[in-house]
């Protein structure tokens, strides 16, 4: 089992920045990929960014160049630095962890609201 706790959401004006953080505990020795997803009202949950155990990062086209994902294996955290935020970035952001055996775990989510 892996437990995930997100923090850092809030209200920000368009063009502003926020940093989300996710702390993992539990079976942390078997984590493969750490990443972030988001779900806007009325929409399906969508992938935002991921950081693999091999050190590679990937981003959705909608956030590329504005968001940066980072991972601290010593602290078992994954952060998402979000710059140049837009109203369409408004969503609940979820931390996701995929273990080496393929099991997926989710945090409870943190709300990001970007006002125009």
């Amino acid at each position: 089992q892996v437990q995930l706790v997100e923090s850092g959401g809030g209200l920000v004006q368009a063009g502003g920045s926020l940093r989300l953080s996710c702390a993992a505990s539990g079976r942390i020795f078997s984590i493969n990929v750490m990443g972030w997803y988001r779900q806007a009202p009325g929409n399906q949950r969508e992938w935002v960014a991921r950081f693999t155990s091999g050190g590679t990062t990937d981003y959705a086209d909608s956030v590329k160049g504005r968001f940066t994902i980072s991972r601290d294996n010593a602290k078992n955290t994954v952060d998402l630095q979000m710059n140049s935020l837009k109203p369409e970035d408004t969503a609940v952001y979820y931390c996701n962890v995929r273990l080496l055996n393929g099991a997926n775990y989710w945090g409870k989510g943190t709300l990001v609201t970007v006002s125009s």
Side-chain angles (χ1 to χ4, degrees), residues 53 74 88 112:
S53 58
E88 51 264 44
V112 171

Side-chain angles (χ1 to χ4, degrees), residues 36-104:
W36 290 91
Y37 286 69
R38 68 186 181 186
Q39 187 168 15
N43 290 359
Q44 291 187 334
R45 190 172 298 187
E46 64 175 3
W47 167 70
V48 175
R50 61 175 164 249
F51 200 121
T52 70
S53 58
T56 59
T57 58
D58 294 294
Y59 299 91
D61 287 343
S62 59
V63 306
K64 201 170 294 183
R66 300 187 298 121
F67 291 11
T68 303
I69 190 170
S70 58
R71 178 173 173 175
D72 187 327
N73 289 327
K75 295 181 179 179
N76 300 307
T77 59
V78 60
D79 291 353
L80 186 69
Q81 177 65 42
M82 306 185 294
N83 298 329
S84 302
L85 283 161
K86 305 174 181 180
E88 51 264 44
D89 294 318
T90 295
V92 176
Y93 283 71
Y94 296 90
C95 180
N96 170 263
V97 159
R98 188 164 77 239
L99 302 186
L100 291 172
N101 65 6
N104 265 299

